[in-house]
Every structure is written in C-alpha cells, then in structure tokens.
Amino acid sequence: MSLTPRMPARPPLTVIAISACAACAAGPSTAAQSNIDIECSIPSSLIFDGGPGKDGIPALSNPRLVSPGDRGTEYLQGQDRVIGLVVEGQPIAVPLRIGWWHEIVNFDVGDRHLAVTHCPLTGSSLVFDRTGAGNATFGVSGLLFMNNLIMYDRASEESFWPQLSRGARCGAKLGTDLAMYPAIEMTWAGWRSLYPNTGVVSSETDVPRDYDRYPYGNYDQPDNPDLLFPMPGGLDRRRPPKERVLGIPAGDSAGMAFPFGALQELGDIALVDTAVGGKRIAVFWDGGAAAAAAFYSSTDGATRTFRVESGQIVDNESGSSWRVDGLATSGPLAGTRLQPVAEAFVVYWFAWPAFHPAAQLWSSSGGGD
C-alpha cells in the first residue's frame, strides 16, 4: 500500500483542513474527497491520511455474539489473541482477527456503552466508556496520529479521538478524556479456560472480510522496525519495536511499561509488586495465556502482597490463590476479585514511549529505569 502524508506542519493548536479519500478496508480507491475544518491540540505534522478514508475501515456496533464452538467461531485458533472483558456479568471476547479489520467494536450492554478498540499499527487494545462522548458510537476516521488510530464520534458535532491519547484532541469535545473500562488481552484458549460460557464476536458480521488472514504481512513481527509513518525521535531501541508491553499510565506522559519478554523471564506464572504513580500495583503474568494484568494492591481497606508458590499466585495475608484476571480461586478469599487498574493496556513497545515519554521501563533485573 502506498501511503503519502497529507498534513502540512503547523503549530500545535490551530485549525486544520483534513482531506480523506473514501475506500474499502482492503486498500484506497479513488472517490470524491471531503474536507473537514477542525481545531486540534496535537501537532498536525504528525497526523497522516492512512489511505482507507473515513469509515473505509468499518467499525461494528453490537455484533452477533456466539458461544465457543458455535457456528461463526471457525476462524479462531487457540493461540489467537482476544480482548476479554466482563460487562454486567457477561464475559465477552473480541478477537484481534476482528480488530484487524474493524478496529472499533461498539457495545451497549445494560447501562454500559463501551468501545472495544484495537489499532493494528500500534498493537494497542483499549476499551473505553463512551459516556465522555455523550454515548455516541465511534467510527474509524481513516487518519493516524503517530501511527495510531484516530477515532471519531458519531455526534452532531464530531470530534477526533486518538486512541492512545485516550481523549478528544480535535473538534467540539477537544480536551475531553475518556474513562477506560477494565479488559485483558490474552490467547483465545486462555480466555476460554477462564470463561467457558463467554460470548465471542462471530465471523458472520455482515461485512465481507477475510478473518482468516492477517492483512499487514510481517508487520507484527517483534523485531520488525518498519512503520507506515515516521515516529518523532525515531525508535526507542531498549526493546524490540513490536514487542508487546503492558503499559500503566500515570498522568499524561508518565507511567511504567512491563515487556512481555521480561515478564516471561520470571517464569510461566509470575508477579511484580511495584509502585506506579505513587500507588502500589501488582502485575500478574500468565505465560501460557500470554497475558499480563495489573491490580491495585490495596482494595477495600486491605493491603495484599503476593508470592508464586507451586505454579500459582498466592497472597501472603490469607494464602488464597489468584488467577491472572484477578479472581481468587481457592482459600479464604475464593470468589473475591482484585480491583483492576482500568487504565492498563497492551501496546507495541515502539508506541509506548512516544505517548508516555516520561514513563519508566520495568526490567526483571532491576525494576524500572
């Protein structure tokens, strides 16, 4: 795919005219152009036309959910990654195979209005509460900010929401942040073992896409440095550019990143007790499910510390055993859940320091640097 920058360099806060061509998700095509005049607080020099155009990558809204093994799940293999969340007691899995082609899945479950988002270019999976956008559904703008998905809200006065900025940075809701909803990215086999009654997005989406195919060639290989557009300051070489990390933000630019490779060095089941943004955090790792999740160590007035014993995460205070999604499975606290760090998310390493330049990088040998 040939991609050309469409944005001239301008000051950070200005009015920019964005020109996007309409196209299908498989690639750009010629069509009438639409111009949007919109005020932004992000540098226009880092906004690019990704090619497909507005809604060329079609977001989904309330897609059909089916049970594991049902028709519509044939496209899934055990090692495929999914974004897992529990909404109003209902476990839901959104496979990255869906995210590659749609990038946004809007869900309305009870009183919850959520957007499950995945940007294939930055490898980032975040779930948002759409309340900050007036419960409007989100679509794919076709634009990218530092290689990252820019969403737009389907409101009467639309705004642009870069996924990794976690808020509106252009338009009527400029400066509005989106609250995040707790989610965990892991293998389909791992999620299914935790939630055998889960719903999963069916391949029968009424949008013709080849969910058996990864549409970006070898882009996702951890050591592959190739990007569609340059990143300011280049690549941070401390970790492989496309290695997955669990990022925990602290404010706009700080936080800590936990590389999957470094967590695996601790073992198939591991934990890290640390502090992020002045709060005690426990990071759980399950190598079999290729999953990392973060929880607050102090919840309900009780502070818990953890150890790994006989291949299980155990808290020192009660001796209860915990699984990677924060549920106690045995012991005095069986059935109890830890409070998740809702802002934690999985992302490719190269994108994390670009959006969080003051963040620390955790290592198994010396904590954060």
Side-chain angles (χ1 to χ4, degrees):
M1 179 185 297
S2 176
L3 300 174
T4 304
R6 298 295 183 98
M7 307 302 302
R10 299 183 185 222
L13 185 58
T14 186
V15 176
I16 57 177
I18 296 171
S19 177
C21 66
C24 67
S29 63
T30 57
Q33 293 190 334
S34 60
N35 294 306
I36 304 171
D37 291 326
I38 195 164
E39 185 180 56
C40 294
S41 62
I42 54 178
S44 61
S45 59
L46 299 177
I47 300 176
F48 294 87
D49 179 349
K54 184 177 180 180
D55 291 325
I57 295 174
L60 299 178
S61 290
N62 296 314
R64 184 181 302 111
L65 296 176
V66 294
S67 298
D70 284 357
R71 175 179 170 178
T73 64
E74 297 87 353
Y75 73 113
L76 280 171
Q77 303 296 318
Q79 293 306 303
D80 288 341
R81 298 190 68 77
V82 303
I83 305 166
L85 60 159
V86 179
V87 190
E88 303 286 338
Q90 179 182 1
I92 296 172
V94 179
L96 295 199
R97 288 184 178 274
I98 294 293
W100 298 337
W101 294 98
H102 299 285
E103 300 194 6
I104 301 171
V105 182
N106 298 287
F107 280 108
D108 300 286
V109 182
D111 294 329
R112 292 287 187 179
H113 306 284
L114 305 176
V116 181
T117 69
H118 178 72
C119 177
L121 299 184
T122 51
S124 44
S125 298
L126 292 80
V127 179
F128 296 108
D129 186 327
R130 301 193 330 258
T131 303
N135 294 332
T137 59
F138 283 107
V140 180
S141 71
L143 302 171
L144 300 167
F145 173 57
M146 295 200 292
N147 286 280
N148 181 237
L149 158 70
I150 296 181
M151 312 181 293
Y152 78 92
D153 60 83
R154 296 190 175 108
S156 57
E157 293 185 86
E158 69 182 24
S159 299
F160 284 178
W161 311 70
Q163 182 208 37
L164 288 177
S165 295
R166 297 177 290 134
R169 299 298 179 259
C170 301
K173 289 191 174 294
L174 178 68
T176 301
D177 290 331
L178 285 173
M180 289 181 62
Y181 189 86
I184 184 170
E185 188 187 299
M186 61 169 53
T187 65
W188 169 231
W191 179 257
R192 199 174 56 216
S193 69
L194 299 180
Y195 297 97
N197 64 332
T198 188
V200 59
V201 177
S202 169
S203 62
E204 298 177 349
T205 61
D206 299 325
V207 182
R209 295 293 183 268
D210 183 2
Y211 299 115
D212 289 323
R213 182 173 67 88
Y214 176 67
Y216 294 90
N218 67 344
Y219 179 89
D220 62 347
Q221 296 303 301
D223 292 324
N224 185 353
D226 294 337
L227 304 177
L228 269 71
F229 299 105
M231 297 294 285
L235 295 177
D236 187 321
R237 298 290 182 175
R238 288 178 292 171
R239 303 295 303 187
K242 309 282 177 61
E243 179 183 14
R244 288 186 172 89
V245 303
L246 180 71
I248 304 177
D252 291 334
S253 64
M256 188 174 290
F258 296 83
F260 278 26
L263 290 170
Q264 184 61 55
E265 290 174 4
L266 300 179
D268 285 338
I269 300 294
L271 70 98
V272 178
D273 276 316
T274 188
V276 179
K279 296 182 178 180
R280 297 302 304 180
I281 300 292
V283 174
F284 290 4
W285 167 254
D286 184 334
F295 305 94
Y296 292 106
S297 299
S298 296
T299 55
D300 299 327
T303 299
R304 298 185 179 89
T305 58
F306 301 90
R307 67 182 188 275
V308 175
E309 182 179 283
S310 302
Q312 292 186 310
I313 296 174
V314 178
D315 76 87
N316 294 312
E317 289 70 32
S318 75
S320 300
S321 296
W322 305 79
R323 65 189 195 185
V324 70
D325 65 336
L327 178 70
T329 56
S330 65
L333 296 179
T336 302
R337 284 192 178 275
L338 297 173
Q339 181 184 351
V341 179
E343 295 77 19
F345 61 88
V346 172
V347 60
Y348 287 153
W349 163 246
F350 83 85
W352 172 259
F355 283 85
H356 300 86
Q360 292 181 295
L361 172 63
W362 180 86
S363 70
S364 57
S365 59
D369 61 11

